[in-house]
Amino acid sequence: MDHFQLKDGVLHAEDVPLVRIAEEVGTPVYVYSRATLERHARVFREALSGLDNPHIAFAVKANPNLAVLKILANEGYGADVVSGGELTRALKAGMKPEDIVFSGVGKTHAELRQGLEAGIGQFNIESEEEGYELAAIAARYGRRAACALRVNPDVDARTHEKISTGKRENKFGVPLDRATEIYARLAREEALDMRGIAVHIGSQLSTLEPLETAFAKLGKLIAELRAEGCSVTHADLGGGLGVPYKAGEELPSPAEYGAMVARVTAGWDVRLMFEPGRVIAGNAGVLLTRVIRAKRSGNGPPFVVVDAAMNDLARPAMYGAWHDFEAVEPTGATMTAHIVGPICETGDTFAMDRDCDALVAGDLAVFRTAGAYGATMASSYNSRGFVAETLVDGDRYAVVADRIAASAIMDAERVPAWLA
Ligand code: LLP
């Protein structure tokens, strides 16, 4: 459930008409709903209530906006970060260092050091090499680093190949059949506190089966590790739960996910950790855009050219992803159209042959389910600047990220004197 609803014929975010935000902030602009974020955070936590003290770390990559992180920090969420930049954001938003998990296959020396200095709760080590590097840095600073070893369970998540992370050929984690020896070796490092294992097989999963298969493999691994004399007190089950992108689409609910986890992990005797991203933020945001013009095409449907583009919302161009597209002030009339942005490549297409509300030049519309992997993946391609972000709370809203004009980006560029 989300808080983007029609009221008196106008699409609102909570109690704020989107027309108002478009007029005052301009378009394109992301609009997030505080009530929806809080609701999703609580629903996910509630879904895990059958577990003993689960640790929930929001995957910052899904939506790193400071205001969004602050809401989740207030909900008691920690953070799953994958760069020094995300770590800095999580701390700035008030997440406790001990609630922060550092994931990622390519943490640099500087980032490992930054994590140690911040006193984060856990490093999810993705290779034996990374483990030794972290051990050396920790020893130099007289610290001990709490670690989980990320394993690659070789499970097909049955999602888009570009967001599938748990197959043998993917770059993530260590192969399951080598995990025990690697874990045992790393556990001998004085400066590492090897305390658990981690897995994340992909994103936007539409069935629970692959997760269950991966978790079952993890259960076996825990038993194997303990039989080898290793201590395992934590298991990080990652994120990945999908969300509906089409009205009426049915996906496994957080409650079904929580019940499956409780069943599969019964008797593991570890603290379970989770890294949800999309399921928390996805449906808590829309991308608000204005139609520049509707352009007739040959024989086919018209091209509706909107002022948002693939640089603002990359998912359709990158993954062929579907985002529901709706008028802010629907008249009841409908049309079939190709929805495109202004960028000079054919990939800048949000939808082909889409049945949608009838729209003409100047009308406002939204791409739904843009709260996760939306603004965070924006670029300034075609010198369009960076899209603004707003947060609605009841009948008020705030700009939570300024639009960064193309000229401001240009200000960071220099023409060397020797070219003059
Ligand atoms: N943990 C790790 C280690 C991850 O790599 C990810 C996402 C998550 C947690 C959160 O997964 P979620 O619960 O959001 O599915 N840009 C793509 C999604 C990339 C996901 C990358 N990793 C998209 O727009 O669909």
Side-chain angles (χ1 to χ4, degrees):
M1 211 218 84
D2 62 61
H3 290 76
F4 297 92
Q5 310 286 345
L6 282 173
K7 292 180 188 173
D8 299 326
V10 180
L11 192 61
H12 282 58
E14 303 188 22
D15 297 324
V16 177
L18 293 181
V19 177
R20 191 174 132 206
I21 296 179
E23 276 165 9
E24 294 173 3
V25 185
T27 53
V29 58
Y30 278 90
V31 183
Y32 309 130
S33 153
R34 176 184 182 175
T36 310
L37 282 164
E38 288 175 348
R39 186 189 138 75
H40 290 176
R42 288 168 198 170
V43 164
F44 192 80
R45 181 181 293 290
E46 181 61 25
L48 303 179
S49 58
L51 306 173
D52 182 24
N53 189 25
H55 179 270
I56 311 179
F58 176 64
V60 171
K61 63 172 79 69
N63 190 325
N65 184 278
L66 285 175
V68 169
L69 297 185
K70 181 72 190 163
I71 288 170
L72 296 171
N74 290 345
E75 289 295 317
Y77 273 51
D80 167 55
V81 303
V82 294
S83 69
E86 286 192 354
L87 173 55
T88 304
R89 282 174 176 277
L91 292 169
K92 184 157 186 199
M95 270 136 175
K96 292 195 217 105
E98 61 268 29
D99 288 339
I100 297 177
V101 176
F102 204 150
S103 302
V105 70
K107 302 177 203 76
T108 64
H109 187 97
E111 286 173 328
L112 292 170
R113 205 178 116 178
Q114 187 187 345
L116 277 170
E117 279 173 354
I120 64 162
Q122 180 171 298
F123 289 87
N124 285 356
I125 298 298
E126 299 230 11
S127 64
E128 187 167 4
E129 296 83 348
E130 181 188 345
Y132 293 131
E133 187 168 350
L134 178 60
I137 303 169
R140 205 170 314 139
Y141 287 91
R143 301 271 172 105
R144 236 177 145 231
C147 297
L149 182 65
R150 178 168 175 181
V151 298
N152 183 323
D154 193 24
V155 169
D156 184 353
R158 287 188 252 146
T159 181
H160 193 282
E161 61 167 327
K162 287 191 184 160
I163 53 175
S164 185
T165 53
K167 285 195 279 183
R168 190 185 301 277
E169 62 268 30
N170 299 142
K171 65 184 172 183
F172 301 98
V174 303
L176 191 62
D177 53 11
R178 293 198 51 224
T180 303
E181 41 161 319
I182 293 173
Y183 192 104
R185 280 198 293 273
L186 290 177
R188 286 198 284 273
E189 291 293 320
E190 208 35 50
L192 301 185
D193 168 20
M194 290 303 295
R195 66 177 201 177
I197 49 178
V199 73
H200 172 79
I201 62 170
S203 196
Q204 184 56 13
L205 270 68
S206 55
T207 86
L208 295 178
E209 249 169 66
L211 289 166
E212 179 161 355
T213 306
F215 298 165
K217 290 186 176 194
L218 229 56
K220 281 205 187 118
L221 175 62
I222 292 173
E224 211 174 290
L225 284 164
R226 286 180 176 152
E228 292 295 316
C230 295
S231 158
V232 182
T233 57
H234 291 72
D236 184 337
L237 302 185
L241 197 56
V243 302
Y245 277 90
K246 286 183 192 173
E249 200 179 1
E250 287 290 332
L251 274 102
S253 67
E256 287 164 322
Y257 171 81
M260 179 275 285
V261 168
R263 180 164 46 76
V264 179
T265 64
W268 281 16
D269 192 25
V270 293
R271 182 168 192 209
L272 290 174
M273 303 171 72
F274 299 86
E275 303 169 351
R278 193 186 314 261
V279 73
I280 305 297
N283 282 305
V286 300
L287 174 58
L288 177 58
T289 184
R290 200 180 282 283
V291 176
I292 298 174
R293 68 180 59 88
K295 174 187 164 182
R296 274 189 303 276
S297 63
N299 294 325
F303 288 98
V304 169
V305 188
V306 296
D307 65 1
M310 64 188 282
N311 72 303
D312 306 305
L313 176 63
R315 304 192 68 260
M318 275 187 86
Y319 318 114
W322 176 291
H323 285 263
D324 274 351
F325 181 68
E326 290 168 20
V328 168
E329 297 175 280
T331 59
T334 59
M335 70 193 298
T336 301
H338 306 317
I339 316 297
V340 300
I343 282 183
C344 298
E345 52 181 284
T346 301
D348 187 24
T349 295
F350 292 107
M352 294 297 283
D353 297 306
R354 180 71 69 90
D355 296 325
C356 60
D357 295 322
L359 290 162
V360 298
D363 284 350
L364 291 169
V366 295
F367 292 102
R368 279 192 176 255
T369 316
Y373 307 110
T376 179
M377 291 173 68
S379 76
S380 67
Y381 185 40
N382 272 212
S383 291
R384 286 170 46 83
F386 278 95
V387 61
E389 297 165 78
T390 58
L391 176 70
V392 170
D393 174 31
D395 61 4
R396 62 182 173 177
Y397 79 91
V399 176
V400 293
D402 288 339
R403 193 177 304 286
I404 301 178
S407 59
I409 297 168
M410 200 167 61
D411 284 346
E413 297 174 20
R414 304 276 176 279
V415 177
W418 38 263
L419 279 180

